[in-house]
Amino acid sequence: MSIRVVVADDQELVRSGFSMILEAQADIEVVAEAGDGAEAVAAVQRHTPDVLLLDIRMPVMDGLEAARRVCGQSGCKVVMLTTFDLDEYVYEALYAGASGFLLKDVRRDDLVHAVRVVAAGDSLLAPAVTRRLVADIVRRRREAAAAEATPERLDVLTAREVETLRMLARGLSNAEIATTLFVSEHTVKTHVSNVLGKLGLRDRVQAVICAYETGLVVPGASDDNDGP
């Protein structure tokens, strides 16, 4: 069964280029293109795709508002596109429900891989550049969010769920977490589901942000020194 994708970007050459790359894959189908945020939302409603590649800066309706509407109204996974690797809007996009982001100069293979990963229900937090981005932006905004995001928020989690959350924040995949904890991938999926449910989070991306904001993972610290 093909992965259905909508590509939304106000630059026609970028939009067409991404579409051509994705259409060349046997397991991916581009069902629509959109030139602004409003068109992207309408395309998702019309075609019910699995993944929306969405430019973060667009006319009529910007990518952030489009992401909020798509994530709030459908099960479509959103991947934001940006030319800025330290764009503050990326942080807002993650909170809006996006499953990750890509730079517009992404390599062909990485673009295809990203669509497949997100369609499978994972996120784009594994690449080191994404972890650094989230850590940097959360560090700068953590003080403002401290009143709401406190370490006590994690008290609802079991010790194993806390460890799972810490590993998610380090960018480990389910398979890598399973290997580290000596459990099955099915067990890891259960832990991840419990973490999301107990903390009221939409997906793994928001779980990673929560881990940074509560101090479970310290930006810039080594893996061995993560956590309080």
Side-chain angles (χ1 to χ4, degrees):
M1 187 174 182
S2 295
I3 300 171
R4 296 165 55 82
V5 179
V6 168
V7 178
D9 194 294
D10 62 334
Q11 299 179 50
E12 184 178 359
L13 287 178
V14 173
R15 190 169 70 239
S16 299
F18 282 170
S19 294
M20 289 178 61
I21 291 172
L22 296 176
E23 279 285 2
Q25 309 304 311
D27 61 334
I28 298 176
E29 176 188 4
V30 176
V31 296
E33 295 183 11
D36 60 56
E39 287 183 4
V41 173
V44 170
Q45 294 172 339
R46 186 180 312 115
H47 299 282
T48 61
D50 302 298
V51 178
L52 168 64
L53 289 181
L54 180 64
D55 187 7
I56 208 163
R57 297 172 182 248
M58 286 196 296
V60 182
M61 179 190 297
D62 67 30
L64 293 176
E65 179 59 27
R68 292 188 190 98
R69 297 194 185 191
V70 169
C71 293
Q73 300 172 3
S74 73
C76 177
K77 303 295 184 180
V78 175
V79 177
M80 305 302 298
L81 299 168
T82 178
T83 56
F84 306 97
D85 59 353
L86 288 178
D87 193 331
E88 288 275 357
Y89 288 113
V90 173
Y91 181 82
E92 301 296 340
L94 297 180
Y95 264 118
S99 294
F101 81 99
L102 291 173
L103 299 181
K104 286 189 178 180
D105 61 358
V106 62
R107 295 172 56 250
R108 177 191 304 261
D109 291 346
D110 290 339
L111 171 65
V112 174
H113 174 71
V115 169
R116 289 172 177 155
V117 166
V118 170
D122 210 333
S123 64
L124 298 181
L125 268 294
V129 63
T130 311
R131 294 202 305 273
R132 288 197 302 270
L133 170 68
V134 173
D136 180 69
I137 296 176
V138 169
R139 179 171 54 236
R140 285 182 276 132
R141 296 187 54 144
R142 188 171 171 187
E143 183 176 348
E148 177 180 353
T150 62
E152 289 73 23
R153 183 182 179 188
L154 304 183
D155 288 348
V156 296
L157 304 181
T158 66
R160 184 48 62 90
E161 289 164 355
V162 170
E163 187 63 20
T164 299
L165 177 57
R166 180 180 286 112
M167 292 183 182
L168 285 177
R170 286 166 48 195
L172 273 64
S173 66
N174 284 355
E176 291 169 331
I177 295 174
T179 299
T180 302
L181 297 181
F182 301 102
V183 297
S184 68
E185 286 192 53
H186 176 75
T187 298
V188 172
K189 290 180 180 180
T190 298
H191 290 328
V192 172
S193 178
N194 289 342
V195 168
L196 299 182
K198 289 181 179 181
L199 297 180
L201 304 172
R202 174 184 170 90
D203 57 22
R204 296 164 66 105
V205 174
Q206 292 190 351
V208 172
I209 294 175
C210 175
Y212 280 108
E213 287 187 336
T214 57
L216 180 65
V217 175
V218 179
S222 66
D223 290 349
D224 292 337
N225 294 324
D226 283 348

